[in-house]
Amino acid sequence: MFCLSELEDTVRVPPSDLNLPLEVAIKKALQKLFLDKVLSIGLCVSIYGIKSIEGGFVLPGDGAATYKVVFRIVVFRPFVGEVIAAKFKESDSNGLRLTLGFFEDVYVPAPLIPTPNRCEPDPYNRNQMRWVWKYGDDEFIIDDSCQQIKFRVENISYPPVPTERAEDAKPFAPMVVTGTIDDDGLGPVSWWEACAPISDDED
Amino acid sequence: MTSVKANAGALTNFEVLDLLNSRGASKDTTRVIASETVSRSEYKVYDYLMETAASTQTRDSVTKFSDKCKGFKLAKAEILNIINLRPSSDVELTPILEKPDEREIDIEGILALVQELLPPLPTVEAHKENEQEETEDGEQPNMETSV
């Protein structure tokens, strides 16, 4: 789910931070620049450490010092085929949306929900649709009550920043993970709790 | 900004949790305001990880497990997945593996190894104190809020 990435960048330390120890000041500037931002390599979660700092020049007309820094960051970048546990966020006619707390744009489109299924208007929440999986004679509902939902990553995409949008469109998601719950062991954890650990009682 | 190395190494959930812990993250409710070293978005990651298997793992158990996995012909990504998810049954392990039948993977063996080496998942209702050990030998768990 996470991996380390090594980057090099020019960092500008504002004059107000120059009384701090150098590493702390640079780390602060790096956090402001990278933390919680989506780069081409993924969502930056944390600064792991600084490898080298060079420079410290003050450019004319600017009170800040500029450094060339090589550092490592922890990025959230799931790989295709990874199984991740998430929580239910909302669902609509296109499919489900799951959240990881720190990352909320995990979508399970309708074709990747186990069939046969049906979508019905949610009786508790007028705007939402609810997905129900029909297995044999039982029906399993996918909604808020599911503690954890496991999904497998199918695809990660980084949609380009839109130039214009409709007024009521969803906030722009720079990184979208598409997942599937259509396989053994995937979907709400409660669906599989009946299977005994280690010994194979049912298939 | 240039990327020196886009992928300098994959991290297990445990390693990220360990990193946040060493910076001073903890479950205390006053922490979000008090902590200077851990930002709010890092806390969200911390909260997520505390609910997964990573919160009960130790560095020792994770290293031992990945060493022993070498005998099972698993891909690095699969070992990572297993450590992160800690499957306890056949049906939890199968979506992680790719074409297990063709590769003749010893599913029973892997599950037995998981059971033996990786600590069980944290209980969701009550976080027992004795289950939250993440210390390496000699390292102090940093559970105090930094003021």
Side-chain angles (χ1 to χ4, degrees), chain A residues 96-166:
Chain A
L96 302 172
R97 185 175 175 188
L98 307 173
T99 169
L100 292 175
F102 59 94
F103 183 75
E104 305 207 321
D105 297 309
V106 180
Y107 292 96
V108 181
L112 295 176
I113 299 181
T115 49
N117 58 39
R118 68 165 200 278
C119 184
E120 59 185 26
D122 192 342
Y124 300 107
N125 189 339
R126 258 186 304 147
N127 292 339
Q128 286 193 33
M129 305 290 280
R130 206 164 61 161
W131 286 90
V132 181
W133 178 40
K134 201 162 146 56
Y135 179 67
D137 289 325
D138 297 320
E139 294 207 328
F140 298 97
I141 304 175
I142 306 176
D143 68 355
D144 230 347
S145 63
C146 307
Q147 281 289 351
Q148 271 199 347
I149 302 186
K150 283 200 184 145
F151 70 95
R152 187 170 57 221
V153 178
E154 289 288 309
N155 181 32
I156 313 173
S157 67
Y158 301 92
V161 184
T163 39
E164 20 173 286
R165 275 189 352 226

Side-chain angles (χ1 to χ4, degrees), chain B residues 91-140:
Chain B
V91 84
E92 285 184 39
L93 183 60
T94 346
I96 297 177
L97 305 173
E98 207 179 298
K99 302 202 185 74
D101 304 318
E102 286 176 30
R103 285 154 66 191
E104 291 176 356
I105 303 268
D106 180 12
I107 295 194
E108 290 285 332
I110 299 176
L111 288 173
L113 196 67
V114 168
Q115 193 78 341
E116 181 196 328
L117 285 181
L118 295 180
L121 297 171
T123 45
V124 180
E125 293 85 15
H127 274 281
K128 303 196 188 84
E129 277 301 302
N130 54 1
E131 265 184 22
Q132 286 197 13
E133 294 178 67
E134 291 134 333
T135 50
E136 200 184 326
D137 296 331
E139 220 183 58
Q140 293 292 324

Side-chain angles (χ1 to χ4, degrees), chain A residues 4-6 8 46-47 85 87, chain B residues 2 5-6 8-9 23 48 51:
Chain A
L4 280 181
S5 262
E6 198 171 305
E8 181 190 314
S46 178
I47 313 287
K87 296 212 177 62
Chain B
T2 49
K5 251 197 274 180
R23 298 254 213 87
Y48 171 76
E51 287 184 12

